[in-house]
Amino acid sequence: MAYVDPNTPPDAPYGTFPRRRGWPVFALGAAFFAWFALLVWLAVRQLAR
């Protein structure tokens, strides 16, 4: 099988590219949710004092 450079566009109309993997978006979303939950937890803990 010949080597195909992944950075070259495929033979598709209007310069479309294949879809990217979805796990980085979900990982960033989970990290943001954890960060936001930490901020909320710290705020509630501070108000309880």
Side-chain angles (χ1 to χ4, degrees), residues 14-38:
Y14 307 111
T16 57
F17 286 90
R19 299 187 88 175
R20 295 182 182 183
R21 293 185 175 143
W23 71 265
V25 174
F26 293 117
L28 285 173
F32 177 77
F33 180 76
W35 171 75
F36 191 72
L38 176 68

Side-chain angles (χ1 to χ4, degrees), residues 2-19:
Y3 172 75
V4 177
D5 185 13
N7 296 322
T8 58
D11 295 330
Y14 307 111
T16 57
F17 286 90
R19 299 187 88 175

